[in-house]
Every structure is written in C-alpha cells, then in structure tokens.
Amino acid sequence: MTSGDDAVVAGCDPVVAGGCDAGGTGFDAVAAGGYNAVAAGCDAVVAGAGPAGSVAALCLARAGHRVLLLDPRPGDSRPGDRPAGPAAAAAADCERPPRDLPRDGRRGAAPYRIGETLPPAARPLLRDLGLLDGLGADGHLPCTGTEAAWGSGELYGRGNVLDPHGPGWHLDRVRFDASLRGAAVEAGARLVCGVAVRRTGRPGAWRLVVRERGEGQERGEERVVPCPWVVDATGRRAVIARHSAVRLRQDRLVAAYAVLPGPAPADQDLRTLVEAAPDGWWYTARVPAGRLVAHLTDRDLADPGLRTATGFLERAARTRHVGTRLDGYAAGPRPEPRWAPAHGQRLAPPAGPGWVAAGDAALACDPLSSQGILTALHTGVRAAQAVDRCLRGGGRGDEDALAGYSAFVDGVAARYFTHHARAYADERRWPSAPFWARRRPVGLPGILGGAFTQGIDAGR
C-alpha cells in the first residue's frame, strides 16, 4: 500500500518448490469424526487451512507424503464448491480479536474476511504452483496501483502499469482460501474440520490434541492424532509453536473495517487508497463484495465512535480522500464495523524439532506492507520443503533443513522491518501524537533487536 510495497519477499526464489509441481490426484475430504481413518500413518498434520497452511499441505501431498489438513472454519464452502460470493457462509476467523473490542464476525454470521491484497509479485509463485490460471476464474478484481496521502495531505500515485508481473489483485478471500484448500485436497491432503488445541509427546512422535468442529458446533469432541511433524499455520496465536518458541509482538495495531455492499455503478476505481491521520491511517479498496473501508490504530487509542456503523462512517467521511470514495454508497446499508488484529509479530525461532510455523504464526506483517498473503504463501512453500527434507532424511540433516527455513524467515523479517520503519518515518505531520510517536525511528539496530519490547509472550 505504500512506497515500501516492493515485495519484502522479493529476492526469494520464485518458488523452488521441490515436489510442488502442478497436478495431483484424488479428492478426499474427511468430515468431522473422520480422524480414526486417517490418524494412523500420517506423516504431517497442518494446523490451519488459510493460505499458508493450504499451500504447505499442497506441497507436502504433491511430494508424496500423507497429510492431514485441519480446517477451523466448517461453515466455509468446501473445496470444489462454488461459493455464492464473498458473504458465503463462514465461521468467525480463528484469530482472537482484542478482548475489549467486538469480534470479527458473530457466531454463525457470514463476515467478509479481511486481508484482501495480493501484490503482483505473487504471480511467479502461483504460476509455479499451478494455481495462477484458476485465480482468473474466481471473480477477483485487479488492483491497478496505489494512491496515498502519506507524509503530505496531497495524493501521490503508484501504478502497476510498469510492474513486470502486471497488476495485483483485490481478492474475495473466502473464495481464494477455498480454492487453495481444494488444490491441497486434490493433491491428496485429507481435510478435517477441527482445531488444534495442544501438542504432547516428543519430536518424531507428537500427539496432537484436536477438537472437532462441525456445522453449528462451538465445541466438539477432542481426539488425539499421532504425527511425526506439525506445521503450525494457526495465525498470530501460533497455538502449537508457541509452546516451543517466543512470540514477539511489534505493536498493538488493530483494524476496524466495514464492507459497503455494491459496488456503486460509478465506482470504477481499482486502486488502493491509503490516507494517514493523527491517530493512525485509513485505507479503502474496491473488492468483489463492494467497497472495503478500514481504519488502523492502536487498540488503546481506538475511538469508541468506531464501534457503531454511524460513528465509523462519519469518521471515514471526515477524511480528505477516503471519504470521496464512499459517495456512491451513502444510500445503501450501513454495516456494523468489525475488528481484527493487525499487529506485527514474529516467532523466535520459527521452527524446531518436529515442527515448523508458517504464515502469520511465523511472521505477521503490518497491513501497510500489503505483504501478508504473499508472505504466507512463501512461508507455506518453504515450510513444506523443510518438512519434506526432514521426512526423506529419516532424521539425518534435520538441523540443516530447519536452520535453512529459519534463515529464510529471518531474511524476510529483516526486509519487512526495514520497509516498515522507512514507511512510518515518511509521515512527520503529527510527531507528538501517540500513534506516530510510538513508531518514531530508532535506527536499524533497534528495529531488528528492540522493536519487540511490548507484549513479549512466552507461550501464554
């Protein structure tokens, strides 16, 4: 979304996905209660069926391994289904919102899944995975560039016309995530509706406690699934990996957002618009469901008025630029704003004996970077490579495989932190405002070593 958008994972190999060539056989989705049929002989369990988890399962299955993919969202469309739209039935995201803010979707509701930007740099990765062609048939919108009022009240633009990869996308995330799960299942991964609760045992002989989930089911029966390897793709919570690592939190950023149904006939602008404000920043984008509007601020700085539809839209309308994108939607429904965690976070280390973390569990990026999904895809592929190498080595070379994956994640994190610091340093209009004062540059050593002084969580 900013001038730092040159992919923080740019410089990674396009995919180098050993065993992840396009193709696959079979379709085997396991309904709730189907654990007994698949637990025996499972090589790896992938906990979490978002982009990182689904791609990790896809690559491991294509490499010939027996993979169990845990999907915590039983209300989502099953692989092979065609969702009715971005409001297709979906359970609330497994990320926990701040306790003092509304949930990201009520139980049984059909929320829009935020995190919709996929930059052009994703094209080589998706092509190597055999997923690029299918993306064009799923109703996603092109993202033709970014406009920003950042560091100045005036807009400046950056288009994708000259990007060698072409335009990016504004995704229908429900449909995108379902397509990735479908690809994993078609490659041979077995899909189970369930949530990883905890891990017991020892490396090479883990016993994963899984809670079943089904339609209308808040808490199901717990079962134990034995597995040599676990890929933790459970988001910022890092449900499994946090017991063997430390979660380091960058800040307290949260997103309040709403999708205005549409689109309005006159709204043909496919660029992302970003606008800084004294207490944070706003962005808006056309998405398949209509127009997304989001406000990013720290949890303790959130204006109580943002909790209501009227208050949220009144705040958005007072912005200089974002408000102009909402004119054609004024007469439509006023959806209640939802909240989602948006803080930067990393896991140290991101891998260990018998486990690897991928996606937000390994490294979560500030949405300003527009790199969250791309980083999830890359870490999903690389996590699968590391596990594949360990499984094939029979315990020999595990340390090198895990060290290589950790070095990869560390490299992505270093580039992200550098871009993040530079982007926030570009905004100097409100130096004494708490939101911006907290992000005042402290120099590269501080960025890499001391930026995570708040919210250090050693497995709680």
Side-chain angles (χ1 to χ4, degrees):
M1 296 177 191
T2 76
S3 57
D5 274 358
D6 298 339
V8 293
V9 290
C12 304
D13 297 332
V15 60
V16 199
C20 293
D21 53 328
T25 59
F27 182 98
D28 193 357
V30 181
Y35 297 91
N36 293 339
V38 298
C42 180
D43 296 317
V45 173
V46 179
S54 293
V55 166
L58 168 69
C59 293
L60 284 168
R62 286 180 178 172
H65 300 295
R66 296 161 297 181
V67 184
L68 191 67
L69 177 60
L70 298 180
D71 179 7
R73 304 182 181 103
D76 278 7
S77 301
R78 305 262 53 86
D81 293 345
R82 299 295 297 179
D93 196 304
C94 63
E95 293 277 5
R96 287 179 180 170
R99 292 184 178 88
D100 54 340
L101 295 174
R103 283 184 174 270
D104 180 10
R106 300 172 180 82
R107 293 188 183 96
Y112 173 88
R113 188 168 299 153
I114 197 169
E116 71 294 327
T117 302
L118 188 59
R123 285 181 181 271
L125 177 67
L126 294 171
R127 184 180 298 111
D128 288 350
L129 290 171
L131 302 174
L132 184 60
D133 291 342
L135 194 64
D138 276 345
H140 309 298
L141 293 178
C143 175
T144 58
T146 301
E147 286 188 311
W150 192 275
S152 166
E154 302 301 321
L155 282 177
Y156 63 89
R158 176 176 176 230
N160 293 327
V161 175
L162 299 180
D163 193 299
H165 302 303
W169 295 270
H170 289 142
L171 299 173
D172 174 341
R173 271 296 302 279
V174 171
R175 180 166 289 180
F176 178 71
D177 288 7
S179 70
L180 296 181
R181 289 196 304 272
V185 170
E186 288 174 2
R190 296 180 178 239
L191 187 69
V192 169
C193 294
V195 177
V197 178
R198 60 187 176 277
R199 182 193 66 195
T200 61
R202 56 183 175 79
W206 294 122
R207 298 177 64 82
L208 195 65
V209 179
V210 176
R211 182 177 299 132
E212 294 182 19
R213 296 185 71 173
E215 298 289 351
Q217 209 176 20
E218 178 64 20
R219 296 178 67 90
E221 182 178 353
E222 290 188 357
R223 298 177 183 267
V224 176
V225 179
C227 58
W229 281 87
V230 178
V231 177
D232 188 333
T234 60
R236 288 177 172 87
R237 294 174 63 196
V239 172
I240 303 304
R242 69 187 184 190
H243 298 293
S244 302
V246 178
R247 290 185 296 170
L248 301 175
R249 185 167 175 157
Q250 189 177 22
D251 50 41
R252 290 173 280 181
L253 196 67
V254 293
Y257 68 96
V259 177
L260 305 182
D267 187 2
Q268 301 299 317
D269 196 326
L270 296 177
R271 295 168 294 181
T272 298
L273 191 156
V274 178
E275 182 173 357
D279 59 345
W281 53 278
W282 292 80
Y283 85 93
T284 183
R286 266 284 309 277
V287 294
R291 177 159 286 277
L292 170 69
V293 187
H295 180 55
L296 284 294
T297 188
D298 287 338
R299 182 173 65 181
D300 61 318
L301 303 177
D303 184 340
L306 294 169
R307 298 170 184 263
T308 67
T310 298
F312 179 84
L313 292 177
E314 286 180 350
R315 282 288 313 275
R318 291 202 297 267
T319 61
R320 179 176 176 183
H321 301 288
V322 169
T324 65
R325 299 292 196 272
L326 313 183
D327 293 343
Y329 298 87
R334 293 192 161 202
E336 293 292 325
R338 302 184 187 277
W339 297 79
H343 57 274
Q345 180 177 296
R346 67 170 304 181
L347 194 71
W355 66 271
V356 293
D360 283 356
L363 176 65
C365 300
D366 185 314
L368 189 65
S369 70
S370 297
Q371 298 297 306
I373 302 176
L374 181 60
T375 301
L377 295 173
H378 272 289
T379 55
V381 169
R382 295 296 186 115
Q385 288 180 323
V387 174
D388 173 56
R389 182 177 169 186
C390 293
L391 287 169
R392 293 183 185 279
R396 297 183 300 276
D398 287 16
E399 290 186 5
D400 289 344
L402 297 179
Y405 177 71
S406 296
F408 168 74
V409 174
D410 288 346
V412 175
R415 290 189 289 276
Y416 159 68
F417 297 143
T418 299
H419 284 302
H420 180 275
R422 289 173 179 167
Y424 278 98
D426 284 343
E427 181 52 81
R428 304 182 182 92
R429 286 178 286 173
W430 306 285
S432 61
F435 180 87
W436 298 101
R438 292 170 181 175
R439 289 157 176 84
R440 187 172 297 126
V442 293
L444 189 58
I447 295 165
L448 298 180
F452 292 93
T453 56
Q454 296 181 351
I456 294 180
D457 181 345
R460 290 186 296 274

